[in-house]
Amino acid sequence: MAFVTVKPTRVDVAVADEISAHVSPGVEHAAQTLTWGADEHLLLAVSIAGWLYAHSRRPQAKPIANHLLAVSVVTTVLPHILKSVFDQTRPDRLTVRGHLRGIPRSGRARDAFPSGHATHTGALASAAGMLPSGRRHLARGLAVGLSLTRIALLAHWTSDVLAGFALGVTVERLLRPLTLRRPRRDRRLQ
């Protein structure tokens, strides 16, 4: 049992009710497919593959590969720790209409807060700040879209997704100085 019970806000309930009343099987299937893009297992595997590639073939990319791997590991572990502290029932367990329209059940019933998928996408959106303008906007738009699939599938309340996204941004920004710092030159050698 967790230490803190989190209740959905009125806005959370209103959004979930609207989704369950109007969701179509096509939207549900599309969201179910897209949500895999923010899965912790997939993102961690891609980060490891990128890290291995950078360390074997692209030495100039090592700092960014190190950073992305560190961010991926932390954003994979942190939501699990927080879910052991916070209890919140997922909206898909409280909304019957959504199931009648095809919304599947997602994860453990009381592990809604925070959204792990949104934590990953928030970190990616923040890291995209290092990209050129066009790619940055594309990456951030994709991150927001992937996060919204968790709301569309009633896997999370809107507040879970917002909190997870903000957590991901915070993790990425806190790790930047540690993983992307420039090495100091030894003044004695100069």
Side-chain angles (χ1 to χ4, degrees), residues 15 19 27 31-32 34-35 38 115 117-118 121 140-158 161-162 165:
V15 169
I19 289 169
V27 170
Q32 221 174 359
L34 290 172
T35 200
S115 166
H117 284 70
T121 57
R140 286 182 172 164
L142 182 61
V144 168
L146 289 173
S147 294
L148 293 176
T149 64
R150 305 308 289 165
I151 299 169
L153 289 171
L154 298 177
H156 289 283
W157 302 102
T158 303
V161 170
L162 293 174
F165 200 90

Side-chain angles (χ1 to χ4, degrees), residues 33-57:
T33 301
L34 290 172
T35 200
W36 280 101
D39 180 72
E40 68 184 20
H41 302 100
L42 174 67
L43 292 176
L44 193 54
V46 168
S47 296
I48 291 169
W51 185 88
L52 289 169
Y53 177 75
H55 281 262
S56 66
R57 305 264 188 219

Side-chain angles (χ1 to χ4, degrees), residues 26-140:
V27 170
E28 180 264 324
H29 290 298
Q32 221 174 359
T33 301
L34 290 172
T35 200
W36 280 101
D39 180 72
E40 68 184 20
H41 302 100
L42 174 67
L43 292 176
L44 193 54
V46 168
S47 296
I48 291 169
W51 185 88
L52 289 169
Y53 177 75
H55 281 262
S56 66
R57 305 264 188 219
R58 306 259 333 252
Q60 71 276 17
K62 283 182 184 181
I64 290 176
N66 292 342
H67 176 66
L68 293 177
L69 181 59
V71 168
S72 294
V73 168
V74 172
T75 59
T76 294
V77 173
L78 190 56
H80 292 288
I81 293 169
L82 292 173
K83 287 176 188 220
S84 69
V85 173
F86 297 101
D87 250 358
Q88 185 178 42
T89 303
R90 292 179 183 270
D92 67 5
R93 299 313 199 283
L94 300 176
T95 308
V96 175
R97 273 191 304 192
H99 296 299
L100 296 175
R101 295 178 178 271
I103 293 287
R105 293 197 186 271
S106 179
R108 293 186 185 143
R110 300 195 51 82
D111 277 355
F113 187 85
S115 166
H117 284 70
T119 303
H120 303 306
T121 57
L124 292 174
S126 179
M130 296 182 280
L131 296 171
S133 180
R135 290 182 183 172
R136 178 176 56 244
H137 296 306
L138 178 64
R140 286 182 172 164

